[in-house]
Structures are given as C-alpha cells and as structure tokens.
C-alpha cells in the first residue's frame, strides 16, 4: 500500500501531475494506492477543470485513479479555508463563480473529505508514504 500526499497547486508546477502519475503506475502494477490532498492541491479534486493549453487535465487523471481503485481524500480544513476560485494564474483552470468557499459538492465523485487522524492511520498502515 502506497500513500501519496499532494500539497501543491494543481497547475503552477508539475508536482501534482507527477504525484498522480506515480499513483497510476503503482495501481497499474497491482499496488493499492491512497491519495491525500493538502493545501492548494485540494483544487486537484475540484470538478470542471479547464487546464491551460498544453497542460494535462488532472481531473481526468484523478477520475481514472478512482476507477482503478485508488482511495482519495482531501483535507477538510484545507477545503474550508479556500475560496471557490484559486487566486492568480491557476484560476484559468476553472470557470464559474459561487458564494463562499469550496465544499464537498464541488468535489469529483468518489473523493472524500478527510481528516488528519485518517492520514495518520494511512501512514501507519502504508508500506511507503510519498509526498509531492
């Protein structure tokens, strides 16, 4: 069992993309995978990605991981602390406005709200923990 922790904004660097690609290769190799999204990486789990030209669609990749059996949780505190639209350039990945911040209804189907206690348990029971 691998636990993959992502904590970077989805389209400002390649870290989230690389973490998800790693998770997919582990799943393809028969290894169970859990993905926990922290900080700005919670935007990876938001529905309706519109990535910039030439960038991978992380929503599609995350949906593929879920379909292959990955467990995906987002930090509840991080979700509650973030606006619906990220500030700055990553906002180009999403369209639309909403009163207030992000919530569970904004997440890709299959992604769960997670807790620090859950992540600690995942880490204790994982063969390896990898952070991107």
């Amino acid at each position: 069992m691998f636990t993959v922790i992502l904590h970077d904004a989805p389209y400002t660097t390649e870290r989230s993309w690389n973490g998800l690609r790693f998770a997919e290769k582990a799943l393809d190799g028969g290894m169970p995978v859990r993905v926990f999204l922290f900080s700005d990486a919670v935007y990876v789990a938001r529905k309706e990605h519109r990535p910039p030209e030439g960038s991978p669609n992380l929503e599609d990749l995350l949906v593929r991981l879920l379909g292959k059996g990955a467990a995906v949780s987002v930090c509840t505190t991080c979700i509650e602390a973030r606006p619906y639209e990220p500030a700055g350039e990553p906002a180009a990945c999403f369209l639309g406005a909403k009163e207030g911040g992000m919530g569970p209804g904004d997440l890709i189907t299959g992604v769960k709200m997670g807790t620090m206690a859950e992540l600690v348990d995942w880490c204790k029971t994982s063969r390896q923990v990898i952070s991107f």
Side-chain angles (χ1 to χ4, degrees):
M1 174 74 66
F2 280 109
T3 294
V4 178
I5 302 172
L6 303 179
H7 53 83
D8 196 23
Y11 292 101
T12 55
T13 73
E14 296 175 350
R15 290 175 125 183
S16 293
W17 180 60
N18 285 328
L20 295 177
R21 288 185 326 125
F22 174 87
E24 184 170 41
K25 290 301 177 195
L27 285 164
D28 291 346
M31 180 67 88
V33 172
R34 299 179 285 205
V35 177
F36 199 92
L37 306 171
F38 266 122
S39 303
D40 283 343
V42 298
Y43 287 112
V44 171
R46 190 179 143 196
K47 294 184 230 177
E48 301 178 2
H49 284 213
R50 305 276 192 274
E53 180 88 23
S55 295
N57 188 316
L58 298 184
E59 179 180 6
D60 291 346
L61 182 48
L62 191 60
V63 167
R64 214 164 51 236
L65 294 178
L66 287 161
K68 292 180 179 189
V72 180
S73 290
V74 296
C75 172
T76 299
T77 304
C78 299
I79 284 282
E80 292 173 349
R82 279 175 175 65
Y84 184 68
E85 292 288 340
E89 191 155 332
C93 300
F94 304 104
L95 300 174
K98 175 184 149 187
E99 269 310 302
M102 285 177 56
D106 300 311
L107 301 177
I108 295 165
T109 301
V111 174
K112 296 180 171 55
M113 300 292 280
T115 64
M116 191 63 69
E118 174 186 36
L119 179 60
V120 168
D121 183 58
W122 281 13
C123 291
K124 285 192 311 189
T125 59
S126 287
R127 175 177 165 197
Q128 210 159 18
V129 177
I130 300 159
S131 179
F132 286 86

